[in-house]
PDB file of all heavy atoms in Angstrom:
ATOM      1  N   VAL A   1     223.925  40.482 141.655  1.00  0.00           N
ATOM      2  CA  VAL A   1     224.264  39.308 142.453  1.00  0.00           C
ATOM      3  C   VAL A   1     223.820  38.052 141.717  1.00  0.00           C
ATOM      4  O   VAL A   1     222.614  37.864 141.488  1.00  0.00           O
ATOM      5  CB  VAL A   1     223.599  39.372 143.837  1.00  0.00           C
ATOM      6  CG1 VAL A   1     223.995  38.162 144.678  1.00  0.00           C
ATOM      7  CG2 VAL A   1     223.974  40.665 144.547  1.00  0.00           C
ATOM      8  N   PRO A   2     224.740  37.163 141.331  1.00  0.00           N
ATOM      9  CA  PRO A   2     224.347  35.923 140.645  1.00  0.00           C
ATOM     10  C   PRO A   2     223.632  34.977 141.604  1.00  0.00           C
ATOM     11  O   PRO A   2     223.798  35.063 142.828  1.00  0.00           O
ATOM     12  CB  PRO A   2     225.678  35.336 140.171  1.00  0.00           C
ATOM     13  CG  PRO A   2     226.697  35.911 141.106  1.00  0.00           C
ATOM     14  CD  PRO A   2     226.202  37.280 141.475  1.00  0.00           C
ATOM     15  N   ILE A   3     222.872  34.061 141.045  1.00  0.00           N
ATOM     16  CA  ILE A   3     222.053  33.185 141.873  1.00  0.00           C
ATOM     17  C   ILE A   3     222.922  32.246 142.712  1.00  0.00           C
ATOM     18  O   ILE A   3     222.551  31.897 143.849  1.00  0.00           O
ATOM     19  CB  ILE A   3     221.059  32.384 140.993  1.00  0.00           C
ATOM     20  CG1 ILE A   3     220.041  31.652 141.884  1.00  0.00           C
ATOM     21  CG2 ILE A   3     221.798  31.413 140.097  1.00  0.00           C
ATOM     22  CD1 ILE A   3     219.206  32.573 142.729  1.00  0.00           C
ATOM     23  N   TRP A   4     224.090  31.837 142.202  1.00  0.00           N
ATOM     24  CA  TRP A   4     224.941  30.938 142.987  1.00  0.00           C
ATOM     25  C   TRP A   4     225.425  31.629 144.257  1.00  0.00           C
ATOM     26  O   TRP A   4     225.548  31.000 145.312  1.00  0.00           O
ATOM     27  CB  TRP A   4     226.117  30.438 142.160  1.00  0.00           C
ATOM     28  CG  TRP A   4     227.088  31.509 141.706  1.00  0.00           C
ATOM     29  CD1 TRP A   4     227.102  32.148 140.503  1.00  0.00           C
ATOM     30  CD2 TRP A   4     228.180  32.053 142.465  1.00  0.00           C
ATOM     31  NE1 TRP A   4     228.120  33.067 140.450  1.00  0.00           N
ATOM     32  CE2 TRP A   4     228.812  33.028 141.649  1.00  0.00           C
ATOM     33  CE3 TRP A   4     228.686  31.823 143.733  1.00  0.00           C
ATOM     34  CZ2 TRP A   4     229.908  33.773 142.050  1.00  0.00           C
ATOM     35  CZ3 TRP A   4     229.789  32.560 144.165  1.00  0.00           C
ATOM     36  CH2 TRP A   4     230.388  33.520 143.328  1.00  0.00           C
ATOM     37  N   LEU A   5     225.677  32.948 144.169  1.00  0.00           N
ATOM     38  CA  LEU A   5     226.096  33.678 145.350  1.00  0.00           C
ATOM     39  C   LEU A   5     224.923  33.830 146.326  1.00  0.00           C
ATOM     40  O   LEU A   5     225.105  33.698 147.545  1.00  0.00           O
ATOM     41  CB  LEU A   5     226.635  35.050 144.955  1.00  0.00           C
ATOM     42  CG  LEU A   5     227.119  35.942 146.113  1.00  0.00           C
ATOM     43  CD1 LEU A   5     228.211  35.238 146.913  1.00  0.00           C
ATOM     44  CD2 LEU A   5     227.621  37.288 145.566  1.00  0.00           C
ATOM     45  N   SER A   6     223.736  34.082 145.800  1.00  0.00           N
ATOM     46  CA  SER A   6     222.545  34.185 146.650  1.00  0.00           C
ATOM     47  C   SER A   6     222.314  32.882 147.403  1.00  0.00           C
ATOM     48  O   SER A   6     222.063  32.880 148.612  1.00  0.00           O
ATOM     49  CB  SER A   6     221.313  34.531 145.808  1.00  0.00           C
ATOM     50  OG  SER A   6     221.458  35.771 145.172  1.00  0.00           O
ATOM     51  N   LEU A   7     222.378  31.764 146.671  1.00  0.00           N
ATOM     52  CA  LEU A   7     222.167  30.456 147.295  1.00  0.00           C
ATOM     53  C   LEU A   7     223.228  30.196 148.361  1.00  0.00           C
ATOM     54  O   LEU A   7     222.914  29.709 149.461  1.00  0.00           O
ATOM     55  CB  LEU A   7     222.208  29.366 146.225  1.00  0.00           C
ATOM     56  CG  LEU A   7     221.938  27.934 146.691  1.00  0.00           C
ATOM     57  CD1 LEU A   7     220.576  27.827 147.366  1.00  0.00           C
ATOM     58  CD2 LEU A   7     222.027  26.969 145.511  1.00  0.00           C
ATOM     59  N   GLY A   8     224.481  30.540 148.078  1.00  0.00           N
ATOM     60  CA  GLY A   8     225.540  30.337 149.056  1.00  0.00           C
ATOM     61  C   GLY A   8     225.347  31.177 150.306  1.00  0.00           C
ATOM     62  O   GLY A   8     225.553  30.703 151.432  1.00  0.00           O
ATOM     63  N   VAL A   9     224.951  32.424 150.134  1.00  0.00           N
ATOM     64  CA  VAL A   9     224.718  33.305 151.278  1.00  0.00           C
ATOM     65  C   VAL A   9     223.572  32.779 152.136  1.00  0.00           C
ATOM     66  O   VAL A   9     223.650  32.774 153.374  1.00  0.00           O
ATOM     67  CB  VAL A   9     224.425  34.745 150.798  1.00  0.00           C
ATOM     68  CG1 VAL A   9     223.895  35.609 151.949  1.00  0.00           C
ATOM     69  CG2 VAL A   9     225.681  35.376 150.210  1.00  0.00           C
ATOM     70  N   ILE A  10     222.495  32.328 151.500  1.00  0.00           N
ATOM     71  CA  ILE A  10     221.336  31.824 152.242  1.00  0.00           C
ATOM     72  C   ILE A  10     221.712  30.581 153.046  1.00  0.00           C
ATOM     73  O   ILE A  10     221.413  30.480 154.244  1.00  0.00           O
ATOM     74  CB  ILE A  10     220.179  31.527 151.275  1.00  0.00           C
ATOM     75  CG1 ILE A  10     219.641  32.832 150.674  1.00  0.00           C
ATOM     76  CG2 ILE A  10     219.047  30.779 151.993  1.00  0.00           C
ATOM     77  CD1 ILE A  10     218.687  32.623 149.519  1.00  0.00           C
ATOM     78  N   VAL A  11     222.380  29.619 152.397  1.00  0.00           N
ATOM     79  CA  VAL A  11     222.764  28.381 153.083  1.00  0.00           C
ATOM     80  C   VAL A  11     223.725  28.683 154.228  1.00  0.00           C
ATOM     81  O   VAL A  11     223.562  28.172 155.349  1.00  0.00           O
ATOM     82  CB  VAL A  11     223.394  27.384 152.089  1.00  0.00           C
ATOM     83  CG1 VAL A  11     223.979  26.185 152.829  1.00  0.00           C
ATOM     84  CG2 VAL A  11     222.355  26.920 151.072  1.00  0.00           C
ATOM     85  N   ALA A  12     224.729  29.520 153.975  1.00  0.00           N
ATOM     86  CA  ALA A  12     225.709  29.848 155.007  1.00  0.00           C
ATOM     87  C   ALA A  12     225.059  30.565 156.183  1.00  0.00           C
ATOM     88  O   ALA A  12     225.364  30.283 157.352  1.00  0.00           O
ATOM     89  CB  ALA A  12     226.829  30.702 154.412  1.00  0.00           C
ATOM     90  N   THR A  13     224.157  31.483 155.893  1.00  0.00           N
ATOM     91  CA  THR A  13     223.483  32.227 156.962  1.00  0.00           C
ATOM     92  C   THR A  13     222.640  31.309 157.834  1.00  0.00           C
ATOM     93  O   THR A  13     222.672  31.400 159.070  1.00  0.00           O
ATOM     94  CB  THR A  13     222.593  33.339 156.368  1.00  0.00           C
ATOM     95  OG1 THR A  13     223.400  34.221 155.580  1.00  0.00           O
ATOM     96  CG2 THR A  13     221.910  34.132 157.474  1.00  0.00           C
ATOM     97  N   LEU A  14     221.896  30.410 157.213  1.00  0.00           N
ATOM     98  CA  LEU A  14     221.064  29.482 157.981  1.00  0.00           C
ATOM     99  C   LEU A  14     221.925  28.538 158.818  1.00  0.00           C
ATOM    100  O   LEU A  14     221.580  28.237 159.970  1.00  0.00           O
ATOM    101  CB  LEU A  14     220.169  28.680 157.035  1.00  0.00           C
ATOM    102  CG  LEU A  14     219.099  29.482 156.291  1.00  0.00           C
ATOM    103  CD1 LEU A  14     218.332  28.590 155.332  1.00  0.00           C
ATOM    104  CD2 LEU A  14     218.132  30.131 157.276  1.00  0.00           C
ATOM    105  N   LEU A  15     223.042  28.087 158.253  1.00  0.00           N
ATOM    106  CA  LEU A  15     223.923  27.188 158.991  1.00  0.00           C
ATOM    107  C   LEU A  15     224.547  27.892 160.194  1.00  0.00           C
ATOM    108  O   LEU A  15     224.524  27.373 161.318  1.00  0.00           O
ATOM    109  CB  LEU A  15     225.019  26.664 158.061  1.00  0.00           C
ATOM    110  CG  LEU A  15     226.004  25.647 158.660  1.00  0.00           C
ATOM    111  CD1 LEU A  15     225.265  24.400 159.111  1.00  0.00           C
ATOM    112  CD2 LEU A  15     227.078  25.288 157.640  1.00  0.00           C
ATOM    113  N   VAL A  16     225.087  29.087 159.979  1.00  0.00           N
ATOM    114  CA  VAL A  16     225.698  29.846 161.078  1.00  0.00           C
ATOM    115  C   VAL A  16     224.666  30.204 162.127  1.00  0.00           C
ATOM    116  O   VAL A  16     224.924  30.114 163.339  1.00  0.00           O
ATOM    117  CB  VAL A  16     226.388  31.113 160.529  1.00  0.00           C
ATOM    118  CG1 VAL A  16     226.825  32.029 161.665  1.00  0.00           C
ATOM    119  CG2 VAL A  16     227.584  30.741 159.661  1.00  0.00           C
ATOM    120  N   THR A  17     223.465  30.599 161.680  1.00  0.00           N
ATOM    121  CA  THR A  17     222.397  30.968 162.612  1.00  0.00           C
ATOM    122  C   THR A  17     222.007  29.797 163.502  1.00  0.00           C
ATOM    123  O   THR A  17     221.872  29.938 164.722  1.00  0.00           O
ATOM    124  CB  THR A  17     221.167  31.464 161.834  1.00  0.00           C
ATOM    125  OG1 THR A  17     221.513  32.647 161.109  1.00  0.00           O
ATOM    126  CG2 THR A  17     220.023  31.768 162.782  1.00  0.00           C
ATOM    127  N   THR A  18     221.826  28.625 162.895  1.00  0.00           N
ATOM    128  CA  THR A  18     221.411  27.450 163.660  1.00  0.00           C
ATOM    129  C   THR A  18     222.489  27.012 164.649  1.00  0.00           C
ATOM    130  O   THR A  18     222.212  26.799 165.835  1.00  0.00           O
ATOM    131  CB  THR A  18     221.076  26.287 162.710  1.00  0.00           C
ATOM    132  OG1 THR A  18     220.045  26.695 161.801  1.00  0.00           O
ATOM    133  CG2 THR A  18     220.610  25.074 163.494  1.00  0.00           C
ATOM    134  N   LEU A  19     223.719  26.882 164.166  1.00  0.00           N
ATOM    135  CA  LEU A  19     224.795  26.445 165.049  1.00  0.00           C
ATOM    136  C   LEU A  19     225.059  27.468 166.153  1.00  0.00           C
ATOM    137  O   LEU A  19     225.262  27.110 167.319  1.00  0.00           O
ATOM    138  CB  LEU A  19     226.076  26.214 164.237  1.00  0.00           C
ATOM    139  CG  LEU A  19     226.021  25.070 163.211  1.00  0.00           C
ATOM    140  CD1 LEU A  19     227.330  24.966 162.445  1.00  0.00           C
ATOM    141  CD2 LEU A  19     225.705  23.745 163.895  1.00  0.00           C
ATOM    142  N   GLY A  20     225.043  28.751 165.795  1.00  0.00           N
ATOM    143  CA  GLY A  20     225.251  29.789 166.792  1.00  0.00           C
ATOM    144  C   GLY A  20     224.148  29.821 167.832  1.00  0.00           C
ATOM    145  O   GLY A  20     224.407  30.020 169.026  1.00  0.00           O
ATOM    146  N   SER A  21     222.893  29.595 167.393  1.00  0.00           N
ATOM    147  CA  SER A  21     221.763  29.584 168.324  1.00  0.00           C
ATOM    148  C   SER A  21     221.875  28.452 169.326  1.00  0.00           C
ATOM    149  O   SER A  21     221.681  28.633 170.535  1.00  0.00           O
ATOM    150  CB  SER A  21     220.447  29.473 167.553  1.00  0.00           C
ATOM    151  OG  SER A  21     220.224  30.599 166.738  1.00  0.00           O
ATOM    152  N   LEU A  22     222.177  27.262 168.826  1.00  0.00           N
ATOM    153  CA  LEU A  22     222.283  26.102 169.711  1.00  0.00           C
ATOM    154  C   LEU A  22     223.446  26.261 170.697  1.00  0.00           C
ATOM    155  O   LEU A  22     223.330  25.895 171.872  1.00  0.00           O
ATOM    156  CB  LEU A  22     222.447  24.827 168.884  1.00  0.00           C
ATOM    157  CG  LEU A  22     221.257  24.473 167.982  1.00  0.00           C
ATOM    158  CD1 LEU A  22     221.558  23.215 167.174  1.00  0.00           C
ATOM    159  CD2 LEU A  22     219.983  24.292 168.790  1.00  0.00           C
ATOM    160  N   ALA A  23     224.564  26.831 170.217  1.00  0.00           N
ATOM    161  CA  ALA A  23     225.697  27.061 171.115  1.00  0.00           C
ATOM    162  C   ALA A  23     225.352  28.095 172.178  1.00  0.00           C
ATOM    163  O   ALA A  23     225.695  27.933 173.354  1.00  0.00           O
ATOM    164  CB  ALA A  23     226.911  27.517 170.302  1.00  0.00           C
ATOM    165  N   LYS A  24     224.661  29.161 171.786  1.00  0.00           N
ATOM    166  CA  LYS A  24     224.262  30.196 172.735  1.00  0.00           C
ATOM    167  C   LYS A  24     223.297  29.644 173.768  1.00  0.00           C
ATOM    168  O   LYS A  24     223.417  29.924 174.972  1.00  0.00           O
ATOM    169  CB  LYS A  24     223.607  31.340 171.963  1.00  0.00           C
ATOM    170  CG  LYS A  24     223.038  32.463 172.836  1.00  0.00           C
ATOM    171  CD  LYS A  24     224.113  33.231 173.560  1.00  0.00           C
ATOM    172  CE  LYS A  24     223.521  34.433 174.280  1.00  0.00           C
ATOM    173  NZ  LYS A  24     224.545  35.186 175.045  1.00  0.00           N
ATOM    174  N   ALA A  25     222.321  28.849 173.326  1.00  0.00           N
ATOM    175  CA  ALA A  25     221.352  28.272 174.253  1.00  0.00           C
ATOM    176  C   ALA A  25     222.019  27.315 175.233  1.00  0.00           C
ATOM    177  O   ALA A  25     221.605  27.209 176.391  1.00  0.00           O
ATOM    178  CB  ALA A  25     220.250  27.551 173.476  1.00  0.00           C
ATOM    179  N   ARG A  26     223.063  26.629 174.780  1.00  0.00           N
ATOM    180  CA  ARG A  26     223.773  25.701 175.663  1.00  0.00           C
ATOM    181  C   ARG A  26     224.588  26.460 176.714  1.00  0.00           C
ATOM    182  O   ARG A  26     224.628  26.073 177.880  1.00  0.00           O
ATOM    183  CB  ARG A  26     224.690  24.792 174.836  1.00  0.00           C
ATOM    184  CG  ARG A  26     225.296  23.649 175.643  1.00  0.00           C
ATOM    185  CD  ARG A  26     226.204  22.791 174.795  1.00  0.00           C
ATOM    186  NE  ARG A  26     225.504  22.262 173.628  1.00  0.00           N
ATOM    187  CZ  ARG A  26     225.756  22.623 172.374  1.00  0.00           C
ATOM    188  NH1 ARG A  26     226.689  23.529 172.128  1.00  0.00           N
ATOM    189  NH2 ARG A  26     225.087  22.099 171.370  1.00  0.00           N
ATOM    190  N   ARG A  27     225.223  27.556 176.290  1.00  0.00           N
ATOM    191  CA  ARG A  27     226.058  28.329 177.219  1.00  0.00           C
ATOM    192  C   ARG A  27     225.235  29.210 178.150  1.00  0.00           C
ATOM    193  O   ARG A  27     225.586  29.416 179.303  1.00  0.00           O
ATOM    194  CB  ARG A  27     227.034  29.221 176.439  1.00  0.00           C
ATOM    195  CG  ARG A  27     228.104  28.475 175.665  1.00  0.00           C
ATOM    196  CD  ARG A  27     229.200  29.436 175.237  1.00  0.00           C
ATOM    197  NE  ARG A  27     228.640  30.636 174.613  1.00  0.00           N
ATOM    198  CZ  ARG A  27     228.433  30.784 173.309  1.00  0.00           C
ATOM    199  NH1 ARG A  27     228.730  29.788 172.501  1.00  0.00           N
ATOM    200  NH2 ARG A  27     227.936  31.886 172.822  1.00  0.00           N
ATOM    201  N   ASP A  28     224.129  29.744 177.612  1.00  0.00           N
ATOM    202  CA  ASP A  28     223.335  30.720 178.368  1.00  0.00           C
ATOM    203  C   ASP A  28     221.862  30.341 178.297  1.00  0.00           C
ATOM    204  O   ASP A  28     221.129  30.831 177.423  1.00  0.00           O
ATOM    205  CB  ASP A  28     223.560  32.118 177.796  1.00  0.00           C
ATOM    206  CG  ASP A  28     222.816  33.196 178.569  1.00  0.00           C
ATOM    207  OD1 ASP A  28     222.335  32.893 179.685  1.00  0.00           O
ATOM    208  OD2 ASP A  28     222.730  34.331 178.064  1.00  0.00           O
ATOM    209  N   PRO A  29     221.380  29.479 179.192  1.00  0.00           N
ATOM    210  CA  PRO A  29     219.967  29.054 179.154  1.00  0.00           C
ATOM    211  C   PRO A  29     218.995  30.216 179.276  1.00  0.00           C
ATOM    212  O   PRO A  29     217.866  30.134 178.772  1.00  0.00           O
ATOM    213  CB  PRO A  29     219.857  28.105 180.355  1.00  0.00           C
ATOM    214  CG  PRO A  29     221.254  27.638 180.605  1.00  0.00           C
ATOM    215  CD  PRO A  29     222.140  28.795 180.248  1.00  0.00           C
TER     216      PRO A  29
END
């Protein structure tokens, strides 16, 4: 796994996790 792919996976995962968490908390307190 090249480092550019690792960096992309990490950034994408954190972004999806954060946005998904906030959306879930808004829909389901």
Side-chain angles (χ1 to χ4, degrees):
V1 182
I3 190 61
W4 64 264
L5 180 58
S6 298
L7 183 58
V9 168
I10 292 169
V11 172
T13 302
L14 293 177
L15 183 61
V16 171
T17 297
T18 302
L19 295 178
S21 296
L22 296 178
K24 176 67 173 178
R26 189 181 303 112
R27 293 194 311 268
D28 183 13

